[in-house]
Amino acid sequence: MKKVDCKISDAEWIVMKVLWEEAPLTAAKIIEAVSSNKTWSPKTIHSLINRLVKKGALGVNKEMPHYEFYPLVDKKDCIQEETRTFIQKVYDGSIHLMLANFIKDEKISEKEIEELQRLLDEKVNE
Amino acid sequence: MKKVDCKISDAEWIVMKVLWEEAPLTAAKIIEAVSSNKTWSPKTIHSLINRLVKKGALGVNKEMPHYEFYPLVDKKDCIQEETRTFIQKVYDGSIHLMLANFIKDEKISEKEIEELQRLLDEKVNE
DNA sequence: ATTCACAGACTACACTTGTAGGATTACATT
DNA sequence: AATGTAATCCTACAAGTGTAGTCTGTGAAT
C-alpha cells in the first residue's frame, strides 16, 4: 500500500470506504454498495471512481470482463492524515486539546466512558 | 452569536481563530496576527476576511477610521460542526470508534494518558 | 497643497468538488 | 448476426477555494 499523497474528498471517502471494506469490486458492485447510503446517480459514482483512479487512490484490473477496482492507499494512513489535518485546523494541532475538549463536551454514555477508561488502562500497561 | 450555517474553509479558519482569540480587530491587525503563521499576501488575507463577512461569519464596524471585524459565529459551535462532519466522514459518525481508534493508534504520552483518565473520572462523577 | 502608501471595493483565475450527461463499445440474448 | 443494455470514456458546469491583482479614495507625511 502506497502512502497517501492525495486529498480524498468527502464524496470520494464514501467510495473508498466501500472498497476498504471489500475489494476488488466491479463498478456495478460499488454502485450497489454506495447506493444503500447515498442516492447518487450511477454516473456520479462512476465519476468518483475515475477520479480516485486518476488520483492514484484506486487501482484497476482491466483483465476482467468488467473492470475491478481496489484500494491503492491504506485506510489507516488516510484516517491518520485526515485526522492530522482536522486537528491542525481546529485544534492547532494539539491532540490533547482535542481529546480533552471532546471528553468534556460530547455526550458520551457511561458505558462508553468505561470502555475508554479500559482502553487507556491497556495503553498504560503496554 | 448566531448558529453556524456556513462552511468555513481551511484558510478561513485561520482568520477566524485570530478573531476568536481577540476581537474586534482591524484588517491590519488581523494581517499581522495571521502572518506569524502564514506567509500569505495581505491581499489574500483581505480576500478571506471579505469572504467571511459575506458568509456572515464576521461582522464589521464601519464607524471607525479603519473597519473593525469581529466574529458573528460561535467558536464552540464551529468546532462542533467541523468535528461532526469529520467524524461522519472518517468514522461513519461514531464518536466512540473515533476515540477508541485514537487512543489505540496515536502516540500519546503517559502524562497525557493520565490527564485523560482524570478527565474521564471527572465526567463519571458529574 | 502634493504625494505616497495603505484601506477598501471589485475582479481574476486555475483547481477541486459535487453532480451529472452524451457518445461509444462490448457482451448477452434472440 | 443484430440489437439492446450496461460499462467505459470523455465532457460539462456551477460553486467553492487558494491565492492574489487592479483601481480608487483618503489620511499622513513632506
Side-chain angles (χ1 to χ4, degrees), chain A residues 26-40:
Chain A
T26 63
K29 287 288 184 186
I30 297 173
I31 288 168
E32 193 189 323
V34 167
S35 296
S36 67
N37 304 36
K38 284 288 183 176
T39 60
W40 287 332

Side-chain angles (χ1 to χ4, degrees), chain A residues 7 9-11 40-41 43-44 47-48 51 55:
Chain A
K7 294 290 289 172
S9 81
D10 293 12
W40 287 332
S41 147
K43 294 297 195 177
T44 299
S47 293
L48 294 173
R51 278 185 192 167
K55 284 185 180 184

Side-chain angles (χ1 to χ4, degrees), chain B residues 27 31 33 37 41 43 50 58 71 80-81 83-84 92 95 101 103 106 109 113 117 125:
Chain B
I31 289 168
N37 304 35
S41 146
K43 293 301 192 178
N50 285 328
L58 292 182
Q80 268 189 25
E81 177 56 20
T83 304
R84 215 190 43 69
D92 295 311
I95 294 175
N101 226 309
I103 290 173
E106 291 298 319
S109 72
I113 292 181
Q117 283 176 323
N125 298 325

Side-chain angles (χ1 to χ4, degrees), chain A residues 4 14 30 32 36 52 57 64 75 78 85 99 101 106 114:
Chain A
V4 210
I14 293 178
I30 297 173
E32 193 189 323
S36 67
L52 285 166
M64 308 297 288
K75 178 176 182 179
C78 286
T85 308
L99 287 176
N101 225 310
E106 291 298 319
E114 281 166 27

Side-chain angles (χ1 to χ4, degrees), chain B residues 7 9-12 40-41 43-44 47-48 51 55:
Chain B
K7 294 291 286 172
S9 82
D10 293 12
E12 289 160 2
W40 288 332
S41 146
K43 293 301 192 178
T44 299
S47 293
L48 293 173
R51 279 186 192 165
K55 283 185 181 184

Side-chain angles (χ1 to χ4, degrees), chain A residues 25-28 60-69:
Chain A
L25 289 178
T26 63
V60 197
N61 180 356
K62 299 196 171 183
E63 310 305 307
M64 308 297 288
H66 293 313
Y67 293 4
E68 285 188 341
F69 302 89

